[in-house]
PDB file of all heavy atoms in Angstrom:
ATOM      1  N   THR A  24     -14.172 -22.182  -6.300  1.00 98.00           N
ATOM      2  CA  THR A  24     -15.412 -22.161  -6.932  1.00 98.00           C
ATOM      3  C   THR A  24     -16.265 -20.912  -6.335  1.00 98.00           C
ATOM      4  O   THR A  24     -16.466 -20.895  -5.182  1.00 98.00           O
ATOM      5  CB  THR A  24     -16.330 -23.295  -6.852  1.00 98.00           C
ATOM      6  OG1 THR A  24     -15.512 -24.413  -7.149  1.00 98.00           O
ATOM      7  CG2 THR A  24     -17.551 -23.329  -7.706  1.00 98.00           C
ATOM      8  N   PRO A  25     -16.723 -19.924  -7.196  1.00 98.00           N
ATOM      9  CA  PRO A  25     -17.441 -18.847  -6.446  1.00 98.00           C
ATOM     10  C   PRO A  25     -18.658 -19.105  -5.918  1.00 98.00           C
ATOM     11  O   PRO A  25     -19.463 -20.035  -6.322  1.00 98.00           O
ATOM     12  CB  PRO A  25     -17.686 -17.845  -7.740  1.00 98.00           C
ATOM     13  CG  PRO A  25     -17.587 -18.757  -8.912  1.00 98.00           C
ATOM     14  CD  PRO A  25     -16.758 -19.930  -8.698  1.00 98.00           C
ATOM     15  N   ARG A  26     -18.955 -18.583  -4.714  1.00 98.00           N
ATOM     16  CA  ARG A  26     -20.268 -18.736  -4.018  1.00 98.00           C
ATOM     17  C   ARG A  26     -21.214 -17.924  -4.761  1.00 98.00           C
ATOM     18  O   ARG A  26     -20.888 -17.133  -5.695  1.00 98.00           O
ATOM     19  CB  ARG A  26     -20.185 -18.124  -2.595  1.00 98.00           C
ATOM     20  CG  ARG A  26     -19.252 -19.111  -1.738  1.00 98.00           C
ATOM     21  CD  ARG A  26     -19.547 -18.702  -0.268  1.00 98.00           C
ATOM     22  NE  ARG A  26     -18.613 -19.448   0.655  1.00 98.00           N
ATOM     23  CZ  ARG A  26     -17.674 -18.887   1.320  1.00 98.00           C
ATOM     24  NH1 ARG A  26     -17.636 -17.486   1.378  1.00 98.00           N
ATOM     25  NH2 ARG A  26     -16.857 -19.614   2.041  1.00 98.00           N
ATOM     26  N   ASP A  27     -22.630 -17.839  -4.379  1.00 98.00           N
ATOM     27  CA  ASP A  27     -23.665 -17.171  -5.055  1.00 98.00           C
ATOM     28  C   ASP A  27     -23.361 -15.645  -5.261  1.00 98.00           C
ATOM     29  O   ASP A  27     -23.566 -15.253  -6.263  1.00 98.00           O
ATOM     30  CB  ASP A  27     -25.054 -17.427  -4.355  1.00 98.00           C
ATOM     31  CG  ASP A  27     -25.430 -18.882  -4.364  1.00 98.00           C
ATOM     32  OD1 ASP A  27     -24.797 -19.605  -5.114  1.00 98.00           O
ATOM     33  OD2 ASP A  27     -26.294 -19.289  -3.640  1.00 98.00           O
ATOM     34  N   ASN A  28     -22.675 -15.174  -4.338  1.00 98.00           N
ATOM     35  CA  ASN A  28     -22.473 -13.679  -4.419  1.00 98.00           C
ATOM     36  C   ASN A  28     -21.106 -13.255  -4.716  1.00 98.00           C
ATOM     37  O   ASN A  28     -20.607 -12.158  -4.548  1.00 98.00           O
ATOM     38  CB  ASN A  28     -22.801 -13.007  -2.927  1.00 98.00           C
ATOM     39  CG  ASN A  28     -21.815 -13.404  -1.917  1.00 98.00           C
ATOM     40  OD1 ASN A  28     -21.140 -14.570  -2.035  1.00 98.00           O
ATOM     41  ND2 ASN A  28     -21.579 -12.670  -0.915  1.00 98.00           N
ATOM     42  N   GLU A  29     -20.230 -14.277  -5.241  1.00 98.00           N
ATOM     43  CA  GLU A  29     -18.903 -13.965  -5.624  1.00 98.00           C
ATOM     44  C   GLU A  29     -18.645 -13.969  -7.020  1.00 98.00           C
ATOM     45  O   GLU A  29     -19.242 -14.715  -7.760  1.00 98.00           O
ATOM     46  CB  GLU A  29     -18.078 -15.088  -4.867  1.00 98.00           C
ATOM     47  CG  GLU A  29     -18.048 -14.806  -3.397  1.00 98.00           C
ATOM     48  CD  GLU A  29     -16.947 -16.012  -2.710  1.00 98.00           C
ATOM     49  OE1 GLU A  29     -16.693 -16.960  -3.311  1.00 98.00           O
ATOM     50  OE2 GLU A  29     -16.487 -15.596  -1.642  1.00 98.00           O
ATOM     51  N   VAL A  30     -17.387 -13.377  -7.343  1.00 98.00           N
ATOM     52  CA  VAL A  30     -16.953 -13.355  -8.770  1.00 98.00           C
ATOM     53  C   VAL A  30     -15.654 -14.255  -8.666  1.00 98.00           C
ATOM     54  O   VAL A  30     -14.925 -14.086  -7.672  1.00 98.00           O
ATOM     55  CB  VAL A  30     -16.619 -12.017  -9.355  1.00 98.00           C
ATOM     56  CG1 VAL A  30     -17.955 -11.279  -9.619  1.00 98.00           C
ATOM     57  CG2 VAL A  30     -15.683 -11.303  -8.439  1.00 98.00           C
ATOM     58  N   LEU A  31     -15.302 -14.975  -9.599  1.00 98.00           N
ATOM     59  CA  LEU A  31     -14.034 -15.710  -9.765  1.00 98.00           C
ATOM     60  C   LEU A  31     -13.145 -14.887 -10.791  1.00 98.00           C
ATOM     61  O   LEU A  31     -13.621 -14.753 -11.971  1.00 98.00           O
ATOM     62  CB  LEU A  31     -14.288 -17.074 -10.324  1.00 98.00           C
ATOM     63  CG  LEU A  31     -12.821 -17.922 -10.550  1.00 98.00           C
ATOM     64  CD1 LEU A  31     -12.236 -18.251  -9.191  1.00 98.00           C
ATOM     65  CD2 LEU A  31     -13.274 -19.177 -11.403  1.00 98.00           C
ATOM     66  N   ILE A  32     -12.085 -14.489 -10.260  1.00 98.00           N
ATOM     67  CA  ILE A  32     -11.281 -13.642 -11.086  1.00 98.00           C
ATOM     68  C   ILE A  32      -9.938 -14.285 -11.465  1.00 98.00           C
ATOM     69  O   ILE A  32      -9.233 -15.042 -10.684  1.00 98.00           O
ATOM     70  CB  ILE A  32     -10.625 -12.298 -10.246  1.00 98.00           C
ATOM     71  CG1 ILE A  32     -11.961 -11.479  -9.772  1.00 98.00           C
ATOM     72  CG2 ILE A  32      -9.839 -11.397 -11.090  1.00 98.00           C
ATOM     73  CD1 ILE A  32     -11.625 -10.549  -8.795  1.00 98.00           C
ATOM     74  N   ARG A  33      -9.605 -14.287 -12.771  1.00 98.00           N
ATOM     75  CA  ARG A  33      -8.323 -14.849 -13.248  1.00 98.00           C
ATOM     76  C   ARG A  33      -7.270 -13.785 -13.230  1.00 98.00           C
ATOM     77  O   ARG A  33      -7.367 -12.735 -13.858  1.00 98.00           O
ATOM     78  CB  ARG A  33      -8.503 -15.354 -14.709  1.00 98.00           C
ATOM     79  CG  ARG A  33      -7.197 -15.880 -15.208  1.00 98.00           C
ATOM     80  CD  ARG A  33      -7.317 -16.890 -16.311  1.00 98.00           C
ATOM     81  NE  ARG A  33      -6.015 -17.416 -16.567  1.00 98.00           N
ATOM     82  CZ  ARG A  33      -5.334 -17.314 -17.608  1.00 98.00           C
ATOM     83  NH1 ARG A  33      -5.739 -16.717 -18.739  1.00 98.00           N
ATOM     84  NH2 ARG A  33      -4.101 -17.839 -17.775  1.00 98.00           N
ATOM     85  N   THR A  34      -6.311 -14.025 -12.344  1.00 98.00           N
ATOM     86  CA  THR A  34      -5.289 -12.967 -12.146  1.00 98.00           C
ATOM     87  C   THR A  34      -4.305 -12.772 -13.299  1.00 98.00           C
ATOM     88  O   THR A  34      -3.785 -13.796 -13.784  1.00 98.00           O
ATOM     89  CB  THR A  34      -4.473 -13.435 -10.804  1.00 98.00           C
ATOM     90  OG1 THR A  34      -5.349 -13.806  -9.844  1.00 98.00           O
ATOM     91  CG2 THR A  34      -3.456 -12.223 -10.409  1.00 98.00           C
ATOM     92  N   HIS A  35      -4.172 -11.526 -13.708  1.00 98.00           N
ATOM     93  CA  HIS A  35      -3.307 -11.167 -14.715  1.00 98.00           C
ATOM     94  C   HIS A  35      -2.030 -10.581 -14.050  1.00 98.00           C
ATOM     95  O   HIS A  35      -0.855 -10.622 -14.631  1.00 98.00           O
ATOM     96  CB  HIS A  35      -3.774 -10.142 -15.618  1.00 98.00           C
ATOM     97  CG  HIS A  35      -4.825 -10.725 -16.757  1.00 98.00           C
ATOM     98  ND1 HIS A  35      -4.614 -10.556 -18.088  1.00 98.00           N
ATOM     99  CD2 HIS A  35      -5.803 -11.511 -16.540  1.00 98.00           C
ATOM    100  CE1 HIS A  35      -5.692 -11.248 -18.679  1.00 98.00           C
ATOM    101  NE2 HIS A  35      -6.385 -11.722 -17.851  1.00 98.00           N
ATOM    102  N   ALA A  36      -2.186  -9.831 -13.051  1.00 98.00           N
ATOM    103  CA  ALA A  36      -1.055  -9.147 -12.215  1.00 98.00           C
ATOM    104  C   ALA A  36      -1.378  -9.124 -10.783  1.00 98.00           C
ATOM    105  O   ALA A  36      -2.497  -8.753 -10.450  1.00 98.00           O
ATOM    106  CB  ALA A  36      -0.774  -7.882 -12.867  1.00 98.00           C
ATOM    107  N   THR A  37      -0.335  -9.172 -10.023  1.00 98.00           N
ATOM    108  CA  THR A  37      -0.446  -8.830  -8.555  1.00 98.00           C
ATOM    109  C   THR A  37       0.843  -7.969  -8.215  1.00 98.00           C
ATOM    110  O   THR A  37       1.535  -7.663  -9.020  1.00 98.00           O
ATOM    111  CB  THR A  37      -0.672 -10.184  -7.834  1.00 98.00           C
ATOM    112  OG1 THR A  37      -0.714  -9.860  -6.417  1.00 98.00           O
ATOM    113  CG2 THR A  37       0.378 -11.318  -8.035  1.00 98.00           C
ATOM    114  N   THR A  38       0.981  -7.936  -6.905  1.00 98.00           N
ATOM    115  CA  THR A  38       2.164  -7.107  -6.430  1.00 98.00           C
ATOM    116  C   THR A  38       2.810  -7.648  -5.269  1.00 98.00           C
ATOM    117  O   THR A  38       2.193  -8.585  -4.593  1.00 98.00           O
ATOM    118  CB  THR A  38       1.794  -5.644  -5.963  1.00 98.00           C
ATOM    119  OG1 THR A  38       0.915  -5.740  -4.805  1.00 98.00           O
ATOM    120  CG2 THR A  38       1.053  -4.868  -7.031  1.00 98.00           C
ATOM    121  N   VAL A  39       4.111  -7.422  -4.929  1.00 98.00           N
ATOM    122  CA  VAL A  39       4.737  -7.666  -3.621  1.00 98.00           C
ATOM    123  C   VAL A  39       4.967  -6.398  -2.930  1.00 98.00           C
ATOM    124  O   VAL A  39       5.557  -5.469  -3.541  1.00 98.00           O
ATOM    125  CB  VAL A  39       6.169  -8.326  -3.911  1.00 98.00           C
ATOM    126  CG1 VAL A  39       6.728  -8.630  -2.583  1.00 98.00           C
ATOM    127  CG2 VAL A  39       5.914  -9.659  -4.587  1.00 98.00           C
ATOM    128  N   THR A  40       4.280  -6.211  -1.783  1.00 98.00           N
ATOM    129  CA  THR A  40       4.341  -4.879  -1.030  1.00 98.00           C
ATOM    130  C   THR A  40       5.384  -5.078  -0.038  1.00 98.00           C
ATOM    131  O   THR A  40       5.666  -6.131   0.421  1.00 98.00           O
ATOM    132  CB  THR A  40       3.000  -4.601  -0.635  1.00 98.00           C
ATOM    133  OG1 THR A  40       2.566  -5.563   0.491  1.00 98.00           O
ATOM    134  CG2 THR A  40       1.858  -4.460  -1.697  1.00 98.00           C
ATOM    135  N   ALA A  41       5.606  -3.959   0.709  1.00 98.00           N
ATOM    136  CA  ALA A  41       6.484  -3.948   1.866  1.00 98.00           C
ATOM    137  C   ALA A  41       5.744  -4.787   3.019  1.00 98.00           C
ATOM    138  O   ALA A  41       6.270  -5.474   3.789  1.00 98.00           O
ATOM    139  CB  ALA A  41       6.737  -2.387   2.371  1.00 98.00           C
ATOM    140  N   GLY A  42       4.349  -4.653   2.971  1.00 98.00           N
ATOM    141  CA  GLY A  42       3.535  -5.395   3.913  1.00 98.00           C
ATOM    142  C   GLY A  42       3.673  -6.965   3.776  1.00 98.00           C
ATOM    143  O   GLY A  42       3.755  -7.649   4.795  1.00 98.00           O
ATOM    144  N   ASP A  43       3.634  -7.431   2.498  1.00 98.00           N
ATOM    145  CA  ASP A  43       3.893  -8.869   2.210  1.00 98.00           C
ATOM    146  C   ASP A  43       5.253  -9.225   2.758  1.00 98.00           C
ATOM    147  O   ASP A  43       5.233 -10.394   3.425  1.00 98.00           O
ATOM    148  CB  ASP A  43       4.018  -9.130   0.702  1.00 98.00           C
ATOM    149  CG  ASP A  43       2.697  -8.955   0.043  1.00 98.00           C
ATOM    150  OD1 ASP A  43       1.639  -9.342   0.624  1.00 98.00           O
ATOM    151  OD2 ASP A  43       2.607  -8.396  -1.091  1.00 98.00           O
ATOM    152  N   CYS A  44       6.322  -8.544   2.605  1.00 98.00           N
ATOM    153  CA  CYS A  44       7.585  -8.886   3.170  1.00 98.00           C
ATOM    154  C   CYS A  44       7.556  -8.927   4.711  1.00 98.00           C
ATOM    155  O   CYS A  44       8.196  -9.729   5.250  1.00 98.00           O
ATOM    156  CB  CYS A  44       8.658  -7.928   2.597  1.00 98.00           C
ATOM    157  SG  CYS A  44       8.823  -8.327   0.864  1.00 98.00           S
ATOM    158  N   ARG A  45       6.940  -7.943   5.284  1.00 98.00           N
ATOM    159  CA  ARG A  45       6.803  -7.843   6.756  1.00 98.00           C
ATOM    160  C   ARG A  45       6.114  -9.191   7.251  1.00 98.00           C
ATOM    161  O   ARG A  45       6.568  -9.748   8.224  1.00 98.00           O
ATOM    162  CB  ARG A  45       6.019  -6.707   7.245  1.00 98.00           C
ATOM    163  CG  ARG A  45       6.775  -5.473   7.120  1.00 98.00           C
ATOM    164  CD  ARG A  45       6.023  -4.349   8.049  1.00 98.00           C
ATOM    165  NE  ARG A  45       6.687  -3.001   7.965  1.00 98.00           N
ATOM    166  CZ  ARG A  45       7.825  -2.854   8.473  1.00 98.00           C
ATOM    167  NH1 ARG A  45       8.514  -3.738   9.222  1.00 98.00           N
ATOM    168  NH2 ARG A  45       8.393  -1.606   8.265  1.00 98.00           N
ATOM    169  N   VAL A  46       4.974  -9.533   6.675  1.00 98.00           N
ATOM    170  CA  VAL A  46       4.271 -10.646   7.118  1.00 98.00           C
ATOM    171  C   VAL A  46       5.064 -11.864   6.944  1.00 98.00           C
ATOM    172  O   VAL A  46       5.144 -12.889   7.833  1.00 98.00           O
ATOM    173  CB  VAL A  46       2.786 -10.781   6.306  1.00 98.00           C
ATOM    174  CG1 VAL A  46       2.141 -12.031   6.624  1.00 98.00           C
ATOM    175  CG2 VAL A  46       2.057  -9.388   6.756  1.00 98.00           C
ATOM    176  N   ARG A  47       5.643 -12.046   5.769  1.00 98.00           N
ATOM    177  CA  ARG A  47       6.449 -13.318   5.447  1.00 98.00           C
ATOM    178  C   ARG A  47       7.690 -13.519   6.476  1.00 98.00           C
ATOM    179  O   ARG A  47       7.823 -14.535   6.984  1.00 98.00           O
ATOM    180  CB  ARG A  47       7.154 -13.070   4.070  1.00 98.00           C
ATOM    181  CG  ARG A  47       7.846 -14.348   3.576  1.00 98.00           C
ATOM    182  CD  ARG A  47       9.040 -13.925   2.615  1.00 98.00           C
ATOM    183  NE  ARG A  47      10.080 -13.344   3.356  1.00 98.00           N
ATOM    184  CZ  ARG A  47      10.650 -12.086   3.120  1.00 98.00           C
ATOM    185  NH1 ARG A  47      10.240 -11.524   2.059  1.00 98.00           N
ATOM    186  NH2 ARG A  47      11.575 -11.800   3.809  1.00 98.00           N
ATOM    187  N   SER A  48       8.255 -12.360   6.868  1.00 98.00           N
ATOM    188  CA  SER A  48       9.524 -12.504   7.619  1.00 98.00           C
ATOM    189  C   SER A  48       9.108 -12.169   9.162  1.00 98.00           C
ATOM    190  O   SER A  48      10.029 -12.427   9.943  1.00 98.00           O
ATOM    191  CB  SER A  48      10.444 -11.403   7.280  1.00 98.00           C
ATOM    192  OG  SER A  48       9.953 -10.089   7.372  1.00 98.00           O
ATOM    193  N   LEU A  49       8.043 -11.714   9.513  1.00 97.00           N
ATOM    194  CA  LEU A  49       7.632 -11.298  10.861  1.00 97.00           C
ATOM    195  C   LEU A  49       8.567 -10.176  11.285  1.00 97.00           C
ATOM    196  O   LEU A  49       8.841 -10.057  12.418  1.00 97.00           O
ATOM    197  CB  LEU A  49       7.533 -12.481  11.845  1.00 97.00           C
ATOM    198  CG  LEU A  49       6.202 -13.143  11.894  1.00 97.00           C
ATOM    199  CD1 LEU A  49       6.291 -14.249  13.105  1.00 97.00           C
ATOM    200  CD2 LEU A  49       5.053 -12.257  12.172  1.00 97.00           C
ATOM    201  N   ARG A  50       9.146  -9.263  10.262  1.00 96.00           N
ATOM    202  CA  ARG A  50       9.936  -8.233  10.703  1.00 96.00           C
ATOM    203  C   ARG A  50       8.943  -6.973  10.951  1.00 96.00           C
ATOM    204  O   ARG A  50       8.579  -6.433   9.965  1.00 96.00           O
ATOM    205  CB  ARG A  50      10.883  -8.054   9.673  1.00 96.00           C
ATOM    206  CG  ARG A  50      12.126  -7.121   9.963  1.00 96.00           C
ATOM    207  CD  ARG A  50      13.226  -7.241   8.894  1.00 96.00           C
ATOM    208  NE  ARG A  50      12.820  -7.604   7.551  1.00 96.00           N
ATOM    209  CZ  ARG A  50      12.387  -6.615   6.730  1.00 96.00           C
ATOM    210  NH1 ARG A  50      12.334  -5.389   7.027  1.00 96.00           N
ATOM    211  NH2 ARG A  50      12.150  -7.027   5.489  1.00 96.00           N
ATOM    212  N   MET A  51       8.680  -6.832  12.134  1.00 96.00           N
ATOM    213  CA  MET A  51       7.426  -5.862  12.581  1.00 96.00           C
ATOM    214  C   MET A  51       8.189  -4.619  13.147  1.00 96.00           C
ATOM    215  O   MET A  51       9.122  -4.760  13.787  1.00 96.00           O
ATOM    216  CB  MET A  51       6.521  -6.541  13.297  1.00 96.00           C
ATOM    217  CG  MET A  51       5.770  -7.626  12.761  1.00 96.00           C
ATOM    218  SD  MET A  51       4.763  -7.040  11.281  1.00 96.00           S
ATOM    219  CE  MET A  51       4.245  -8.540  10.527  1.00 96.00           C
ATOM    220  N   PRO A  52       7.435  -3.417  13.020  1.00 95.00           N
ATOM    221  CA  PRO A  52       7.757  -2.314  13.746  1.00 95.00           C
ATOM    222  C   PRO A  52       7.825  -2.540  15.281  1.00 95.00           C
ATOM    223  O   PRO A  52       7.106  -3.519  15.765  1.00 95.00           O
ATOM    224  CB  PRO A  52       6.661  -1.273  13.433  1.00 95.00           C
ATOM    225  CG  PRO A  52       6.019  -1.713  12.216  1.00 95.00           C
ATOM    226  CD  PRO A  52       6.164  -3.275  12.175  1.00 95.00           C
TER     227      PRO A  52
END
Side-chain angles (χ1 to χ4, degrees):
T24 309
R26 295 197 185 110
D27 293 349
N28 67 334
E29 286 183 339
V30 294
L31 175 70
I32 303 165
R33 176 161 191 241
T34 311
H35 283 231
T37 176
T38 63
V39 174
T40 65
D43 289 320
C44 292
R45 282 198 186 285
V46 173
R47 186 210 74 232
S48 60
L49 271 189
R50 201 166 24 85
M51 295 294 167

